[in-house]
Amino acid sequence: MSVFASILVPLDGSRIAARSLGCATWLTARLGARLHILSATPHERPARDELTRLQVPEQHWPLITLHQAPAYPEEAILAALARHAIELVVMTAGGRTAETPASEDADAAGPLGHVTRAIIERSPTPVLLLPPHYREALPWQRALVPVSGEIEADEALALAMRLANALALEVHVAHVADADGDESLEARARYADALHHEYPQQLEELVRRALPHCAPEECRPIADIVLCHGDVAAELRSLIERKRASVLVAGWHGRFMTGRAHVLKQLLEAITTPVLLVKPAARGPFRLKVGEALE
């Protein structure tokens, strides 16, 4: 079974948006997936004309299912996710439609355009973001996965392992102990030199807990588990460079106005590596049954 059986790329005719095609078509071919192209346009055109307008190279046309929707871009994308059982969205982090003047390109979210921000907040499926300074480097060879003990990070690591086995990637796992945060492993350490004594065991336990269903052979892509200390965004940038990571796979809760979103914006402004954002799967409400309800 493919890691991602169906991939969606939203395009608007701009050169910036079209940069996502190289990565998307490579993933499609390697994973045996189906590639869906979505054009949110008020005027439906013949498929050949629309693919040309969207700057899709003709050699990719046989791989593509084209959809044209007259809705607002973000609503059209979200509707397409459910309608076509999409399992991954690939899109540029920022940009503008072909008709938007350059002076209107600025967005309050920094490197994120308003459509991109809406999708990463509301999409139930993973989103692969290409940062503004993205440099295409295919095939992927190494993935960097930050871990924290939170459910978002656990699910990101589990997905990264499936992707690594499918694409023959080397996986580097990292935890950044933020001195200013209260939720890191450092905040729970029992003594001053726990950095050298407790952290390795805690990190290994984090990885084991995140991968309860992975057989030992499925965990073989993990090359190392690294501990860093300091500013989260700066340390992750440094790791991406040192490990020559092809992709950063990160847990994402979907709420933008938080400290974690600030880290994401800092990374997107500085790196050239794509970022795969993974949300935890939706879970139903928990109900405790007592007394007669148990029967």
Side-chain angles (χ1 to χ4, degrees), residues 63 136 143 167 173 187 229 288:
L63 300 172
E136 185 170 276
L167 299 175
V173 181
H229 183 279
L288 177 64

Side-chain angles (χ1 to χ4, degrees), residues 8 24 42 47 68 89 122 127 129 143 149 152 178 217 223 253-254 266 268 289:
L8 176 71
Q68 300 183 61
V89 180
R122 300 169 60 187
V127 179
L129 287 182
E152 296 91 351
D178 185 356
E217 59 271 17
H253 48 59
Q266 286 183 300
L268 291 175
K289 294 184 178 181

Side-chain angles (χ1 to χ4, degrees), residues 81-153:
L81 298 183
R83 184 178 303 116
H84 306 296
I86 300 299
E87 298 179 358
L88 175 70
V89 180
V90 181
M91 63 192 307
T92 53
R96 57 181 185 273
T97 63
E99 294 78 19
T100 304
S103 60
E104 298 178 20
D105 196 30
D107 187 275
L112 290 173
H114 72 277
V115 174
T116 306
R117 174 172 172 172
I119 298 308
I120 67 171
E121 287 182 333
R122 300 169 60 187
S123 169
T125 65
V127 179
L128 181 66
L129 287 182
L130 308 186
H133 303 293
Y134 170 66
R135 286 203 303 263
E136 185 170 276
L138 299 172
W140 290 353
Q141 296 182 336
R142 286 166 289 274
L144 175 65
V145 188
V147 295
S148 62
E150 297 175 309
I151 188 171
E152 296 91 351

Side-chain angles (χ1 to χ4, degrees), residues 145-183:
V145 188
V147 295
S148 62
E150 297 175 309
I151 188 171
E152 296 91 351
D154 289 354
E155 299 208 9
L157 180 57
L159 178 58
M161 295 310 303
R162 292 176 58 209
L163 202 57
N165 281 285
L167 299 175
L169 304 180
E170 186 178 270
V171 176
H172 298 270
V173 181
H175 172 73
V176 180
D178 185 356
D180 295 328
D182 295 324
E183 300 301 323

Side-chain angles (χ1 to χ4, degrees), residues 1-9 23-37 60-65 84-90 162-163 166-167:
M1 182 178 179
S2 175
V3 180
F4 300 120
S6 52
I7 297 173
L8 176 71
V9 179
C23 185
T25 52
W26 175 77
L27 282 171
T28 298
R30 286 292 304 272
L31 297 176
R34 186 64 187 174
L35 180 60
H36 298 259
I37 298 292
H60 299 321
W61 291 4
L63 300 172
I64 291 170
T65 299
H84 306 296
I86 300 299
E87 298 179 358
L88 175 70
V89 180
V90 181
R162 292 176 58 209
L163 202 57
L167 299 175

